[in-house]
Amino acid sequence: ITVAYTLFPFRQLLVDRGYSRRVATAAVTGVAGLALVAAVLPVVYVLYRRRSTLLDLVRSLPDSIPIVVGEYAVVIRTTPLIATASELLRAAALSVAGAATVLSLKALLFAIVVYGLLARPGSVRSVAVGLAPSSIHPALERYHERIRATLVGIYVVQAATAIGTSLTAYAVFALLGYDAAITLAIVAGVLQFVPVIGPSVVIITLAAVDLVAGNAPRAATVLIVGLVVVGFLPDAVIRPNLAAVAGELPITLYFVGFVGGVLTIGPLGFVLGPLVVGLLVETVQLLSTAPGVEDAPDPDDVIQPDREPGTE
């Protein structure tokens, strides 16, 4: 439903240009499906094929990492961490390969539902509006605009920023001589969907690995250049140019919705969490601008009648 909500303006644009409803719906659904496959398939393929490279990167860590702060010293044993990371990577690769058939059937059902919603959008709107009294139709329109803006911010703006992050990350990692530059760039792009943290996790991890391995110059370079070019530049260039179209939530509210949604309902919370927060914000705004709210007297300004001592 949320994807159909996001694609409807593109479908309507084709209809306004003279294409039939069926042709426009099929074209938008097909292009969206191909875009989804083009975005997901390379990520899965690269991570599956290059899992050995990721394991080699993890195994390159020394058995222990001493951390000395003043008179205190702590030794971190990496052997259990390496074993756990290796097992997680193998399990993830096998689960993705084993779920290919089920994912294909879900993708087919996904396409059918999106096509059906786009083919008859007026029916869905008529039912939603018809069930509500006419007095709250303006509020429903406000909710509609908030949903559209939030979903465009989640799908379009985040996807564009992630693509830009992957491209800049590949350029930085390739120039610095990392063997798995493509894999690392894709991971950095995927992490762009995680607010606040983002691709900086990859940059800090690479810097830590290089520092432990004794390559301090490259560690300093990837930390400084990576945080600026990969972690900051796509957000500073791409996101502001698209934010006017999307009307995104403030980053703090988006982060609360993202984290709360993922922790509560799993991967679907990536979309539904920020959407719920956006609807809550719109509800508060509607209540604050409701007729009579702004004109209501302040309780402190109301003159209370004199009362006798001891009376209620």
Side-chain angles (χ1 to χ4, degrees), residues 97-190:
T101 303
V102 177
L103 291 176
S104 300
L105 294 175
K106 289 184 177 181
L108 178 61
L109 180 61
F110 176 85
I112 293 174
V113 172
V114 171
Y115 179 87
L117 292 173
L118 290 177
R120 296 284 183 179
S123 301
V124 180
R125 183 183 181 90
S126 298
V127 172
V129 175
L131 293 175
S134 59
S135 59
I136 66 170
H137 287 179
L140 292 179
E141 194 66 28
R142 289 275 298 272
Y143 281 124
H144 162 71
E145 293 298 328
R146 171 65 69 174
I147 292 173
R148 182 198 62 79
T150 304
L151 292 178
V152 170
I154 294 172
Y155 286 121
V156 178
V157 177
Q158 286 295 124
T161 308
I163 293 173
T165 300
S166 294
L167 295 177
T168 56
Y170 174 73
V172 171
F173 297 152
L175 290 175
L176 292 178
Y178 289 100
D179 295 332
I182 296 179
T183 303
L184 295 173
I186 291 176
V187 173
V190 172

Side-chain angles (χ1 to χ4, degrees), residues 173-225:
F173 297 152
L175 290 175
L176 292 178
Y178 289 100
D179 295 332
I182 296 179
T183 303
L184 295 173
I186 291 176
V187 173
V190 172
L191 288 176
Q192 184 62 253
F193 286 91
V194 181
V196 180
I197 300 174
S200 59
V201 174
V202 178
I203 305 299
I204 295 174
T205 302
L206 291 176
V209 171
D210 284 341
L211 187 62
V212 172
N215 194 349
R218 192 170 74 167
T221 304
V222 73
L223 185 63
I224 297 173
V225 177

Side-chain angles (χ1 to χ4, degrees), residues 143 146-147 150 154 249-261 269 271-285:
Y143 281 124
R146 171 65 69 174
I147 292 173
T150 304
I154 294 172
L249 287 172
I251 187 63
T252 52
L253 293 179
Y254 181 83
F255 180 74
V256 170
F258 178 90
V259 175
V271 176
L272 299 183
L275 183 59
V276 170
V277 172
L279 292 177
L280 177 61
V281 170
E282 192 63 37
T283 301
V284 173
Q285 292 179 356

